[in-house]
Amino acid sequence: MSRTAAPGASPAAAAAKAARKLEAVLALVSRLGQSLELAAVLDDLLDGLFKIFPQADRGFVGLKEAGDELVTPQAARQRPGASQEPMSVSRTIVQ
């Protein structure tokens, strides 16, 4: 059984779900090449990732400079209806 399928899902349902995720990935890659502005690219990236991972309630992008260990948050988003508590991220996850 495919990892993208829910337990008990039919092969056709699993294939349709995989096709939707692939379409979202292709759309994301296409959009990322349309801007040189970092804020716009990160916004598109988070939009696309929320489409690919519908179970995610929160997402963030952190960047670090070459040779630097510090990861600096550059973009963060929460789905509407998700807990609006301040977002915290585990250092282990970031590493």
Side-chain angles (χ1 to χ4, degrees):
M1 166 131 351
S2 168
R3 287 184 168 176
T4 61
S10 71
K17 184 175 183 179
R20 284 192 305 273
K21 285 191 175 203
L22 180 57
E23 287 173 9
V25 168
L26 293 173
L28 173 60
V29 169
S30 175
R31 282 195 323 266
L32 290 179
Q34 295 177 0
S35 178
L36 296 177
E37 184 183 333
L38 181 60
V41 170
L42 296 179
D43 191 53
D44 284 345
L45 176 64
L46 286 170
D47 278 345
L49 290 173
F50 276 122
K51 289 177 184 170
I52 296 166
F53 300 104
Q55 72 278 17
D57 288 330
R58 303 173 184 195
F60 88 101
V61 178
L63 301 176
K64 71 180 196 175
E65 298 290 328
D68 191 359
E69 292 300 314
L70 180 65
V71 175
T72 305
Q74 298 293 316
R77 180 169 310 155
Q78 295 179 325
R79 282 194 195 274
S83 170
Q84 296 303 308
E85 295 178 18
M87 190 182 305
S88 62
V89 180
S90 163
R91 288 181 192 260
T92 303
I93 290 173
V94 171
Q95 292 173 347

